[in-house]
Amino acid sequence: AVLATLLRAVVTELDEMTNHFAPRGQQESPEMFVSRMVGTLATVTSRNDPVMAACQAARHTDAEIRSITDAFSDSVIAAVQKNIAAEVAAGTAAPIADDTAALVRILSATTWFAVSGDTAFVRSADDIPRALHAIEQLWLHAFWGYR
């Protein structure tokens, strides 16, 4: 129960720091937007590392932690998907796949595993900046066709 309370505080902090995963601003380039979103997640995760690590381990055995993380993940994915759909409709994004819901979910999961330090994605703290850069590039290429 204590861990769930701490997790809810982290989720609230992340939601507030991203302006509730608001769409890209008019003066904000796709690079700035992706960097802001990935960077915010990395910052909040890093700042709350012991809590996040405990939650990552507990999510497999604790229904409350799993429910909180799944609900937050679903809300983030829905917000990002809505933002991308608006960009596609405005002609400012061109996703590499028609199924943007799957693309957003896959990229979101990849982003989460990288920022949380999952050893499948990063081997040491030195790898985290490289992983974050690669993640940002994946988002940019997947939706805005950047090279």
Side-chain angles (χ1 to χ4, degrees), residues 9 36 41-42 44 63 70-71 79 84 139-140:
R36 177 173 56 90
L41 179 60
V44 171
D70 286 354
I84 294 297
W139 280 98
L140 288 169

Side-chain angles (χ1 to χ4, degrees), residues 7-95:
L7 178 58
R8 283 187 186 94
V10 172
V11 164
T12 299
E13 177 186 6
L14 182 58
D15 194 43
E16 289 171 357
M17 286 184 69
T18 60
N19 287 331
H20 313 288
F21 294 88
R24 184 166 63 92
Q26 286 185 319
Q27 303 301 318
E28 189 175 36
S29 69
E31 296 98 336
M32 292 166 61
F33 173 72
V34 168
S35 180
R36 177 173 56 90
M37 290 297 164
V38 172
T40 300
L41 179 60
T43 298
V44 171
T45 301
S46 175
R47 185 173 31 233
N48 296 283
D49 184 46
V51 171
M52 299 310 287
C55 289
Q56 190 66 3
R59 95 176 291 293
H60 300 291
T61 58
D62 186 294
E64 185 177 15
I65 297 295
R66 185 172 42 258
S67 175
I68 294 166
T69 57
D70 286 354
F72 184 67
S73 177
D74 288 346
S75 71
V76 169
I77 289 166
V80 172
Q81 186 177 347
K82 180 180 174 186
N83 294 343
I84 294 297
E87 290 225 12
V88 169
T92 57

Side-chain angles (χ1 to χ4, degrees), residues 84-121:
I84 294 297
E87 290 225 12
V88 169
T92 57
I96 62 171
D98 291 335
D99 189 349
T100 58
L103 191 55
V104 167
R105 182 167 293 281
I106 289 166
L107 288 171
S108 295
T110 302
T111 302
W112 168 250
F113 285 122
V115 302
S116 67
D118 187 290
T119 58
F121 292 85

